[in-house]
Amino acid sequence: GPTWGGAGFEMRQALRPAAQTARPVAQTARPLALRRRLSTLHGGADALRKPYPPSHVLTLGEINPNVLSAQYAVRGELVQRAAAIKEEMAAGSANVPFKKVLECNIGNPQAVGQSPIGFNRQVLSLMVCPALLDQPGVDALFAPDAIARAKEYLAAIPSGVGAYSDSQGFRIVREQVADFISSRDGLPASPEDIFLTDGASKGVGFLLSLILRGGGSDGLLVPIPQYPLYSATLALQETHMLGYELDEAAGWSLPISLLEAELEDAQAKGVATRALVVINPGNPTGNSLPYDNMVECIDFCAKHGLVLMADEVYQENIWDGGRPFHSFKKVLMEMSPRPNLQLVSFHSTSKGFLGECGLRGGYFEIVGFDPEVKAQLLKLISIGLCSNTLGQIATGLMVQPPRPGDASYEIYSGERDAILASMKRRATMLVDGLNALEGVTCNQPQGAMYAFPSITLPPKAIAAAKDAGKVPDTFYALALLEATGIVVVPGSGFGQKEGTWHFRTTFLPPESEMTDVVDRMTAFHADFMGKYA
């Protein structure tokens, strides 16, 4: 019988059929008698209420050591200090010389004021609440093509967005992704090769779990500077990060000779290199690879039997018309003779002009994989059941936006063009301001949404950082935060050439605030350099 009491027990008893509640006396008496005997044997009622011994609490020395070693600078010390400052400001106890914390540490456009695209949010609203489609006046609230798109999705997904999808993702969305890739590259794509994921990061994690075998003998070629997702994931999986340094003086180019040297060095150390990661356009560097350099990367991977992991989430963020975006798949398919290559390409709703970071939508496409390996990949993904369904719909909306002639096309294209044009202006404004600072040089970004300036720090500043137990660029970035409220990420969190210091900053704050951002940075930098001259 139940061990809980009170009104809830009485109500439950009252609701039971008479056959259940009217038990024979012997049946109800025996358990009570047994309890009394046990109570007597163990010292009475007080003995039954003895406190449990103190429970053991995990300590840092007992958790997975790989978690301790993993670092993710984008959400690291600077962000934690910024969060503390914001709490102090909200409580009225902050003693800071600024009125607002500007989060330039992460590519999170809507967190700094970018508005979502209207058409996409209309469709998502109708997917979350399909009953709206039956309400009088729905035509006055939603665009006709948004209504039509929601009905199209709901017809293909009768259970709606509240039920699990197939582990690979909604078929209709994967078909839309395949159409997008085919239109972009002029080449066929199959929905069977497309997997919908919670942003690109989750897809990267799946592929690394598939490719890397554990045991500390595998390695992954990763660009330096790199996005900390890769270094953190490799630390968790006890895998060697084989960093190849991009050439800052040559616009962050990718020298193939460095890849060969790094691979040879890994082999000499008994490390089995499994894959090459290329981020194009680059994060944090903002570079966009030229076509010929991409051909070299493909040849290198084919020659050495490496999987090529192409992180292409910034493909809509191209600022240099002389360096247009080319997908690695397109470059591969245009090569003659075509190399045998295993290629994975990642994309996300978080970047571009959508900035739908919180919806966690994304996909990856695989090319050249063995069918049996592909089946194991699907098994791995199915352990988590499926990616979130609203993110899947957001991915469909990303790859199949309103087209010319659709009711929402003019508004949609206007929103898109305004966001991208403003980003380009902000990039130029920020980088010009950075290059005017003493000891700072910064390449003009060709793509993505970041600047990665190099800082020449005075010896006294480096000595002060050492005394404070900080890496010099972290010391600089913390001082910048305390003086201006601007949050950036130290270059040491991404990796950098020995003896150089950098920081990464987005150019995502509203255009109306960019002049203030540059002015704050300029005043701070002059004071900092003067203090440690």
Side-chain angles (χ1 to χ4, degrees):
T3 58
W4 45 278
F9 174 71
E10 293 171 0
M11 181 176 291
R12 183 170 168 181
Q13 290 292 91
L15 291 173
R16 283 182 174 176
Q20 292 184 22
T21 55
R23 294 178 180 174
V25 173
Q27 288 185 2
T28 57
R30 278 197 297 267
L32 180 59
L34 180 61
R35 288 186 64 195
R36 285 173 176 167
R37 288 175 60 194
L38 288 172
S39 174
T40 302
L41 287 171
H42 293 285
D46 289 342
L48 294 178
R49 288 192 289 270
K50 281 185 178 179
Y52 289 107
S55 60
H56 178 70
V57 178
L58 281 174
T59 66
L60 289 181
E62 296 172 313
I63 68 171
N64 184 343
N66 297 331
V67 174
L68 290 174
S69 63
Q71 301 293 326
Y72 189 63
V74 174
R75 292 281 178 97
E77 179 181 4
L78 269 293
V79 177
Q80 293 168 16
R81 176 57 187 145
I85 291 173
K86 287 197 291 185
E87 288 181 5
E88 292 167 6
M89 294 175 75
S93 60
N95 183 22
V96 291
F98 48 84
K99 296 180 180 179
K100 180 180 179 182
V101 172
L102 285 172
E103 294 170 305
C104 298
N105 60 296
I106 192 168
N108 193 13
Q110 293 186 30
V112 287
Q114 180 178 306
S115 296
I117 299 294
F119 173 81
N120 294 23
R121 287 303 181 89
Q122 288 187 40
V123 177
L124 288 167
S125 298
L126 293 169
M127 293 300 297
V128 171
C129 189
L132 289 173
L133 291 166
D134 300 323
Q135 295 300 309
V138 66
D139 294 338
L141 295 174
F142 297 91
D145 51 345
I147 293 173
R149 178 68 68 85
K151 288 181 176 179
E152 178 188 10
Y153 281 139
L154 290 168
I157 311 166
S159 54
V161 295
Y164 293 129
S165 74
D166 294 338
S167 293
Q168 201 166 338
F170 291 131
R171 174 82 188 190
I172 184 174
V173 176
R174 289 188 287 117
E175 289 173 347
Q176 291 173 340
V177 172
D179 290 344
F180 162 78
I181 294 171
S182 298
S183 176
R184 181 195 66 191
D185 296 340
L187 299 162
S190 169
E192 304 305 326
D193 296 328
I194 290 158
F195 297 76
L196 304 182
T197 54
D198 290 320
S201 299
K202 198 71 172 180
V204 169
F206 284 136
L207 265 297
L208 291 180
S209 294
L210 180 78
I211 295 168
L212 302 174
R213 297 167 295 186
S217 62
D218 283 352
L220 187 76
L221 284 162
V222 178
I224 299 296
Q226 53 94 31
Y227 181 52
L229 163 70
Y230 295 97
S231 55
T233 305
L234 296 182
L236 291 172
Q237 299 197 13
E238 292 186 279
T239 298
H240 297 272
M241 190 177 90
L242 310 174
Y244 61 91
E245 290 182 353
L246 303 177
D247 187 349
E248 184 172 10
W252 299 110
S253 64
L254 195 168
I256 298 300
S257 59
L258 288 182
L259 293 179
E260 293 284 1
E262 193 64 41
L263 181 65
E264 184 177 337
D265 183 60
Q267 289 172 340
K269 295 175 180 176
V271 176
T273 305
R274 304 286 288 161
L276 167 69
V277 172
V278 180
I279 307 173
N280 183 47
N283 176 12
T285 55
N287 63 311
S288 183
L289 291 180
Y291 190 98
D292 291 346
N293 202 182
M294 298 174 72
V295 170
E296 292 176 322
C297 291
I298 291 170
D299 279 335
F300 171 79
C301 289
K303 173 184 173 182
H304 296 290
L306 306 180
V307 176
L308 199 164
M309 298 178 64
D311 185 334
E312 299 178 336
V313 301
Y314 298 99
Q315 59 188 261
E316 296 282 355
N317 302 104
I318 298 295
W319 317 123
D320 183 347
R323 286 284 181 88
F325 171 77
H326 301 287
S327 74
F328 268 98
K329 181 182 179 183
K330 177 180 173 65
V331 176
L332 169 65
M333 296 301 177
E334 290 178 348
M335 293 174 67
S336 182
R338 184 186 302 165
N340 291 321
L341 179 73
Q342 295 175 97
L343 169 68
V344 191
S345 303
F346 303 92
H347 198 10
S348 169
T349 65
S350 300
K351 310 307 177 186
F353 56 91
L354 296 181
E356 292 285 16
C357 303
L359 290 178
R360 309 308 298 136
Y363 73 82
F364 64 83
E365 180 190 25
I366 58 174
V367 175
F369 275 64
D370 183 282
E372 291 184 348
V373 173
K374 179 179 171 182
Q376 293 301 308
L377 175 60
L378 182 56
K379 179 184 75 175
L380 174 65
I381 292 170
S382 69
I383 294 171
L385 297 175
C386 68
S387 61
N388 86 86
T389 54
L390 284 182
Q392 293 186 43
I393 299 299
T395 301
L397 295 168
M398 173 181 72
V399 298
Q400 193 178 101
R403 296 169 179 168
D406 290 347
S408 297
Y409 176 74
E410 293 299 328
I411 294 175
Y412 180 94
S413 60
E415 291 172 330
R416 175 198 65 205
D417 295 347
I419 291 169
L420 291 174
S422 176
M423 277 190 189
K424 185 174 182 179
R425 290 192 298 269
R426 283 177 276 170
T428 301
M429 189 184 309
L430 176 63
V431 173
D432 286 350
L434 290 169
N435 280 324
L437 304 181
E438 177 190 354
V440 175
T441 59
C442 186
N443 288 316
Q444 193 72 39
Q446 298 163 336
M449 49 184 63
Y450 313 101
F452 196 64
S454 173
I455 327 166
T456 302
L457 294 173
K460 288 184 179 179
I462 295 174
K466 183 178 180 180
D467 291 343
K470 303 292 183 186
V471 178
D473 52 11
T474 301
F475 181 77
Y476 177 92
L478 282 168
L480 174 67
L481 169 61
E482 298 289 350
T484 67
I486 297 172
V487 190
V488 299
V489 187
S492 50
F494 299 91
Q496 54 199 344
K497 188 175 182 178
E498 187 72 25
T500 67
W501 308 110
H502 299 77
F503 65 84
R504 189 191 78 167
T505 176
T506 71
F507 39 83
L508 294 176
E511 194 167 354
S512 61
E513 297 181 13
M514 283 305 298
T515 298
D516 181 52
V517 170
V518 173
D519 288 346
R520 287 200 222 178
M521 283 186 169
T522 300
F524 161 77
H525 188 78
D527 289 345
F528 184 91
M529 298 298 280
K531 179 178 180 179
Y532 295 104

